[in-house]
Amino acid sequence: MTAPRRAGPARPLLIAALLILAAALAAALLRPRDTTGTPATQTAAHATPTQASGSLPATVTDARVVAVPPGIRETSVFATLRSTWDADVRITGVSSPAAGHAMLMVTRTQDNMTGMSMTDHLTLPAGGTLTLSDTGDHLMLMDLKEPLQPGQTIPITLTDAEGRTLTIQAPVTKP
């Protein structure tokens, strides 16, 4: 009798890759089309001074990066995103030239314990808001390339599941 075969580390990665591919294909097929049959473009409303550019259908207010002491190599980013579209927007990526990498974070409370963890997406509800705060979901900049000084402005780019982007110009502020 042989022992059951366990999945190696490559199998979960293959399954995850196939699921991501399927989601991307579904998103492409479900994208709104205009009367010519080409994908409709959605543009972001440029309503606030903290939003520099982008096609992700959202506006941003109260964007800020937390200043941290020299030697600390990670920081948080907070903002309020408001949807300008009639469908949910799945934010799937974040990046900044100020950091080696960045992460989307969720904060959850369970059994009177609050913790944060990395997530693969944050959802901006259709016509609603997504608040990124110090007590809730937020963004993290990791491996800062240099100390951030209050008054500096840091570009942070959000990407959604459809590849649309929004670059936020976020000021560095003291906590």
Side-chain angles (χ1 to χ4, degrees):
M1 183 185 249
T2 60
R5 186 172 178 202
R6 295 184 126 177
R11 189 169 190 163
L13 292 176
L14 177 61
I15 291 169
L18 290 173
L19 288 172
I20 291 169
L21 180 61
L25 180 58
L29 293 173
L30 295 174
R31 181 177 293 156
R33 296 187 177 273
D34 66 16
T35 56
T36 64
T38 58
T41 21
Q42 300 294 326
T43 59
H46 296 281
T48 66
T50 58
Q51 181 177 334
S53 64
S55 60
L56 194 144
T59 59
V60 179
T61 56
D62 302 322
R64 62 201 179 282
V65 178
V66 178
V68 293
I72 303 297
R73 300 200 25 124
E74 60 268 340
T75 190
S76 301
V77 179
F78 310 127
T80 300
L81 285 73
R82 180 170 300 282
S83 173
T84 59
W85 206 29
D86 60 357
D88 288 354
V89 175
R90 286 175 51 100
I91 298 169
T92 56
V94 59
S95 63
S96 175
H101 69 280
M103 299 184 298
L104 305 169
M105 304 295 290
V106 293
T107 302
R108 299 289 180 253
T109 301
Q110 182 177 358
D111 299 327
N112 293 325
M113 301 280 294
T114 299
M116 64 180 187
S117 61
M118 187 174 73
T119 186
D120 63 349
H121 75 279
L122 295 172
T123 301
L124 174 58
T129 60
L130 171 61
T131 301
L132 304 174
S133 71
D134 58 344
T135 59
D137 300 343
H138 58 282
L139 311 174
M140 291 292 295
L141 300 181
M142 310 299 289
D143 298 325
L144 293 174
K145 295 181 178 177
E146 61 185 40
L148 304 180
Q149 302 298 319
Q152 254 183 299
T153 299
I154 306 298
I156 299 161
T157 301
L158 301 174
T159 305
D160 76 356
E162 295 184 25
R164 298 174 294 193
T165 61
L166 172 67
T167 299
I168 301 164
Q169 297 296 329
V172 177
T173 62
K174 292 181 180 179

